[in-house]
Amino acid sequence: KQEVTQIPAALSVPEGENLVLNCSFTDSAIYNLQWFRQDPGKGLTSLLLIQSSQREQTSGRLNASLDKSSGRSTLYIAASQPGDSATYLCAAQGGSEKLVFGKGTKLTVNP
Amino acid sequence: ETGVTQSPTHLIKTRGQQVTLRCSSQSGHNTVSWYQQALGQGPQFIFQYYREEENGRGNFPPRFSGLQFPNYSSELNVNALELDDSALYLCASSTRTGGLETQYFGPGTRLLVL
């Protein structure tokens, strides 16, 4: 059974800082790993999707890496801004095509 | 904007009642999944529908049921509501391409059971 863990549960940083969010998963037989953003009381916005054959994906100030052998993914946010404040969720997708989510990391970027 | 809409946005019910939540997927997306997100938790997979047939189910009892229609809309029905059913319910649509697709989530329906 796939289990996804995210560390830390919450993170508070000053504006402009670079930061890393961590995600680990127990079953390396995944099709892809996705990172989502969730604003309070809202749905999920897909940020990055890394296919199992890829090592990383980049979009603007965001960079996500995937190491299947160690069961880890990281989301790197460069030059953080107050608008980046949200909960970040990672999700592993296996053969059944369902997503298994972690509990998320709540990020606060202080002006 | 993902093109996925859900209704209603909020709902209050009492224990024992039944509820129907609705989702309208992106045009052309033949797969819809439903997730339950309790407060402070990650979303949990309820079930998935592919071309109007159930195609996978998570650890949820049979009182959670669904339908998918040819016009890309779908429903989640919950019977005999319990207090623990209070959560944000999310639907996600995608086009099945062997696990390489991005799932597009709707804004969710927040259900409160009293």
Side-chain angles (χ1 to χ4, degrees):
Chain A
K1 176 188 172 188
Q2 180 72 271
E3 293 183 3
V4 177
T5 303
Q6 290 188 247
I7 295 173
L11 183 63
S12 181
V13 301
E15 182 175 2
E17 193 161 297
N18 302 325
L19 58 100
V20 174
L21 308 181
N22 296 293
C23 171
S24 62
F25 47 95
T26 55
D27 185 352
S28 62
I30 60 172
Y31 279 169
N32 62 53
L33 191 291
Q34 298 184 46
W35 284 91
F36 294 88
R37 169 185 173 138
Q38 186 173 33
D39 292 290
K42 304 294 186 181
L44 306 181
T45 301
S46 179
L47 297 173
L48 291 164
L49 181 152
I50 312 174
Q51 298 175 20
S52 61
S53 58
Q54 298 175 321
R55 297 284 293 183
E56 65 179 323
Q57 282 284 344
T58 298
S59 176
R61 295 182 293 107
L62 306 180
N63 175 276
S65 67
L66 174 64
D67 184 343
K68 278 184 59 178
S69 61
S70 67
R72 295 180 186 275
S73 176
T74 61
L75 178 66
Y76 174 83
I77 302 177
S80 59
Q81 302 171 358
D84 294 331
S85 298
T87 295
Y88 290 81
L89 294 154
C90 72
Q93 184 169 14
S96 65
E97 301 201 31
K98 72 176 184 180
L99 296 176
V100 179
F101 285 86
K103 292 184 178 182
T105 294
K106 184 176 181 180
L107 173 65
T108 302
V109 180
N110 301 300
Chain B
E1 287 293 326
T2 64
V4 179
T5 60
Q6 292 187 243
S7 62
T9 56
H10 296 83
L11 199 54
I12 299 175
K13 291 285 189 178
T14 56
R15 253 186 332 177
Q17 286 189 311
Q18 179 267 343
V19 69
T20 297
L21 309 182
R22 294 179 173 83
C23 172
S24 178
S25 302
Q26 280 197 20
S27 178
H29 282 189
N30 54 21
T31 303
V32 63
S33 303
W34 285 89
Y35 292 82
Q36 179 196 66
Q37 186 177 23
L39 201 61
Q41 303 294 313
Q44 298 288 316
F45 175 74
I46 303 175
F47 45 56
Q48 182 183 85
Y49 278 78
Y50 171 64
R51 292 185 174 177
E52 302 166 47
E53 297 285 335
E54 186 176 295
N55 179 56
R57 188 178 186 92
N59 190 27
F60 282 81
R63 58 189 185 84
F64 285 78
S65 63
L67 287 171
Q68 184 185 26
F69 303 102
N71 65 351
Y72 307 115
S73 66
S74 62
E75 291 180 353
L76 164 65
N77 298 289
V78 187
N79 294 321
L81 283 167
E82 300 177 0
L83 297 180
D84 285 349
D85 295 334
S86 296
L88 181 68
Y89 288 85
L90 299 161
C91 75
S93 75
S94 60
T95 300
R96 173 168 289 190
T97 54
L100 302 179
E101 73 282 3
T102 295
Q103 297 199 15
Y104 295 90
F105 281 80
T109 293
R110 186 163 296 281
L111 172 65
L112 178 60
V113 182
L114 301 176

